Amino acid sequence: MQAAPVRATAIPSFTDALRAVESLLLSSGQRTARRNAWTSVLEDRRRAKDRVEAQQVLEQSFLVRR
């Protein structure tokens, strides 16, 4: 007796599902604006993290010199 062949179908990720819903609900201009806004948020977070790290380095170098 042979087993039935297995069919591999990719299950879309949550992000893919959200993008599909987004494309149905929003016009392309709104979609682009939303993605640009999110990119800006991520870049702001990265810069904030860099500032915190730089501040820590400066504080450590100040403590070493004392």
Side-chain angles (χ1 to χ4, degrees), residues 51-66:
R51 278 194 305 275
V52 167
E53 290 173 356
Q55 182 66 33
Q56 290 171 344
V57 168
L58 289 172
E59 289 172 359
Q60 286 298 320
S61 67
F62 179 74
L63 291 175
V64 170
R65 286 192 230 175
R66 291 178 104 197

Side-chain angles (χ1 to χ4, degrees), residues 9-38:
T9 31
I11 297 172
S13 69
F14 184 70
T15 303
D16 292 338
L18 282 179
R19 284 201 174 134
V21 170
E22 178 186 56
S23 69
L24 291 173
L25 297 177
L26 300 176
S27 70
S28 64
Q30 289 174 319
R31 199 166 44 246
T32 300
R34 178 171 289 199
R35 287 194 183 135
N36 288 344
W38 183 244

